[in-house]
Amino acid sequence: MHFQNPVELDGLKNAHIRDGAAVVQYLVWLDNQMQEIYGASGYFLEGEVTSKKIPNAPCRETMKLTEVSVSDKLEGFRASKERFRGLSFPTISSVGPNAAIIHYSPQAKTCAELDPNSIYLFDSGAQYLDGTTDITRTVHFGKPSAHEKACYTSVLKGHIALGNARFPNGSNGYSLDILARIPLWRYGLDYRHGTGHGIGSYLNVHEGPHQISFRPQARNVPLQVSMTVTDAEVITNRIRKFLFPEPGYYEDGNFGIRLENVLVIKEADTEFNFGDKGYLSFEHITWAPYQIKLIDLSILTPEEIQWLNRYHSKCREILAPYLDKNEMEWLKKATEPVSA
């Protein structure tokens, strides 16, 4: 079993900072493009599309945004970063009903055009010499419905709950998986995949044997310090050597929502130590904003709002050296503190 040593952990954290900057640059670019080409209200405002600005004439094909053309742009932002060596897996760039397909793979000749009235989900990552990244964000550039907001917020609540967990040494991913699902179960919703997977250091983006999942094999390996794992909520989930929780929700034929960060397992500072077991917790090392427009703040608890504001504050602080003035202004707006 592989654990990340201190050098690998430092490299992984640094890689995620540069990767987070690339994701923010992509969102800034995509926000501008959706407004300019499609007349969308954009990342921040909730408004109907007044008119499609893209022409019907031959130049339409060169102007329109597709699932593949925008993912190529995201790769370009990553390629501009130090130590980039390629993608860690083919980007899942999906709009509307395609976002409900968990392992959707867009193809240039058949992929969908972006739609300002639909949810857009991108699950992507890169290989850097100092680390492997994997992040998922879900956004809307028009006016999301109350149902879409409720689903997104439920996924976010599970994402936060898992990332904030404290648990005794010897715990496995099977016992933690429920934390990401409870907010969805409240509405009779769920997702069909695991919640977290391990990740290698300039290696496999899905790397076990540990995982956070409802599947029986998740019982086999206890979670330990210096493992990483994903925390992904969508009505979707998975795990890795670095934990990547990715909860989500997918509504067939309509939309899909997933949120995914990479977490590092560390020792927890608890007031007590029942059974002298020692306790563990997670550290987020992925940095990119959650879209406030898609959050129903009335569903979040005061503690969840506090966590969101704290995470967004760290995003601003950590990514600032890697962004220009316009990008930083966008990020400041995207991470403004919220209240119920």
Side-chain angles (χ1 to χ4, degrees):
M1 185 183 306
H2 176 74
F3 298 91
Q4 306 295 337
N5 63 45
V7 173
E8 290 174 325
L9 284 174
D10 285 344
L12 188 71
K13 292 177 182 180
N14 290 332
H16 276 81
I17 292 172
R18 298 193 302 277
D19 199 70
V23 170
V24 169
Q25 290 170 331
Y26 173 62
L27 286 170
V28 173
W29 172 84
L30 188 56
D31 185 16
N32 289 332
Q33 292 294 299
M34 292 299 291
Q35 293 182 63
E36 292 177 9
I37 297 176
Y38 295 98
S41 55
Y43 187 89
F44 301 108
L45 300 178
E46 288 190 53
E48 303 289 350
V49 177
T50 53
S51 63
K52 264 197 171 184
K53 297 185 179 181
I54 192 166
N56 295 318
C59 59
R60 170 184 175 85
E61 289 305 312
T62 60
M63 290 181 64
K64 73 177 184 180
L65 302 177
T66 70
E67 292 166 330
V68 168
S69 69
V70 296
S71 67
D72 288 345
K73 188 69 176 182
L74 174 56
E75 182 176 358
F77 284 118
R78 284 190 162 109
S80 70
K81 300 296 177 279
E82 184 181 5
R83 299 184 180 180
F84 175 82
R85 288 296 180 271
L87 299 181
S88 53
F89 60 96
T91 299
I92 297 172
S93 174
S94 53
V95 65
N98 291 340
I101 304 171
I102 296 173
H103 298 297
Y104 176 70
S105 179
Q107 303 299 315
K109 293 183 178 180
T110 58
C111 68
E113 183 177 355
L114 264 61
D115 180 356
N117 294 311
S118 297
I119 275 178
Y120 172 64
L121 181 158
F122 62 102
D123 183 348
S124 63
Q127 294 285 11
Y128 301 91
L129 285 176
D130 49 353
T132 301
T133 68
D134 185 359
I135 176 175
T136 307
R137 289 294 185 266
T138 303
V139 295
H140 199 303
F141 294 102
K143 186 175 182 179
S145 68
H147 177 56
E148 288 170 330
K149 286 185 178 183
C151 292
Y152 182 95
T153 309
S154 297
V155 168
L156 177 62
K157 286 171 71 73
H159 181 76
I160 294 172
L162 180 57
N164 284 344
R166 293 187 179 187
F167 48 96
N169 263 308
S171 299
N172 55 48
Y174 185 88
S175 61
L176 297 183
D177 180 78
I178 188 175
L179 296 176
R181 299 179 190 270
I182 286 176
L184 289 161
W185 287 354
R186 180 180 178 184
Y187 295 99
L189 303 175
D190 204 349
Y191 51 94
R192 297 183 181 95
H193 56 80
T195 302
H197 58 83
I199 189 173
S201 179
Y202 190 35
L203 286 169
N204 297 324
V205 71
H206 285 207
E207 190 166 296
H210 63 291
Q211 60 181 302
I212 297 174
S213 177
F214 58 88
R215 295 182 177 88
Q217 58 265 38
R219 297 171 175 167
N220 298 337
V221 181
L223 303 177
Q224 300 176 51
V225 170
S226 294
M227 283 181 171
T228 57
V229 71
T230 56
D231 176 357
E233 305 285 332
V234 238
I235 301 199
T236 209
N237 278 10
R238 44 179 158 170
I239 289 188
R240 314 180 186 193
K241 287 181 182 174
F242 290 89
L243 233 55
F244 290 69
E246 46 181 333
Y249 172 70
Y250 313 93
E251 196 161 290
D252 292 345
N254 196 359
F255 64 85
I257 297 166
R258 184 161 63 248
L259 299 172
E260 179 181 23
N261 280 5
V262 174
L263 311 177
V264 176
I265 301 172
K266 63 178 184 178
E267 293 181 354
D269 182 16
T270 56
E271 184 177 358
F272 303 104
N273 184 19
F274 181 80
D276 293 324
K277 291 182 175 181
Y279 282 72
L280 304 175
S281 62
F282 296 118
E283 174 187 357
H284 284 262
I285 63 171
T286 298
W287 305 109
Y290 304 98
Q291 190 178 24
I292 302 301
K293 187 170 80 172
L294 267 172
I295 300 174
D296 182 345
L297 294 171
S298 69
I299 299 176
L300 295 184
T301 66
E303 292 77 16
E304 290 166 340
I305 290 176
Q306 182 182 43
W307 181 91
L308 180 65
N309 288 336
R310 190 166 55 241
Y311 175 84
H312 276 167
S313 176
K314 293 184 74 173
C315 279
R316 294 193 300 272
E317 175 187 350
I318 289 171
L319 299 181
Y322 299 85
L323 304 174
D324 65 23
K325 182 179 178 180
N326 290 335
E327 292 160 352
M328 194 61 209
E329 286 301 314
W330 186 95
L331 181 59
K332 285 179 180 178
K333 190 173 182 180
T335 58
E336 287 178 347
V338 297
S339 57

